[in-house]
Amino acid sequence: TGIGVVSVPIFQVFDRWGNKMFELENVSPNPGGTIGWDGTFNDQSLDPGVYVYRAEVGFVDGKIVKYSGTITLIR
């Protein structure tokens, strides 16, 4: 998270076929970065590859910005 972030209403990670691998809802910002996806699904380590994320981030001015992109998982 960065300056001005007050909430993360949703953060999701999907595999290349669109299956949801991870989801967080209504999370408060964590400057330490200790809350997030650890590369697992159902307590099993996923194979290296490219995964897609989407997030909605709330800011102090009341705006919610949508973000999306890719995450490359390496082991």
Side-chain angles (χ1 to χ4, degrees):
T1 60
I3 296 173
V5 174
V6 294
S7 67
V8 180
I10 191 139
F11 175 74
Q12 299 172 315
V13 177
F14 300 89
D15 67 11
R16 68 170 74 183
W17 298 278
N19 299 306
K20 191 184 325 177
M21 302 286 102
F22 179 78
E23 180 174 56
L24 281 176
E25 292 182 309
N26 301 315
V27 178
S28 296
N30 182 352
T34 57
I35 298 174
W37 183 50
D38 63 0
T40 63
F41 179 68
N42 290 337
D43 295 322
Q44 299 285 322
S45 292
L46 291 171
D47 291 332
V50 178
Y51 294 82
V52 176
Y53 73 87
R54 73 175 284 277
E56 294 180 4
V57 179
F59 291 89
V60 293
D61 62 2
K63 290 184 181 178
I64 300 224
V65 178
K66 295 179 181 180
Y67 294 93
S68 62
T70 59
I71 301 168
T72 301
L73 179 63
I74 56 175
R75 299 234 179 248

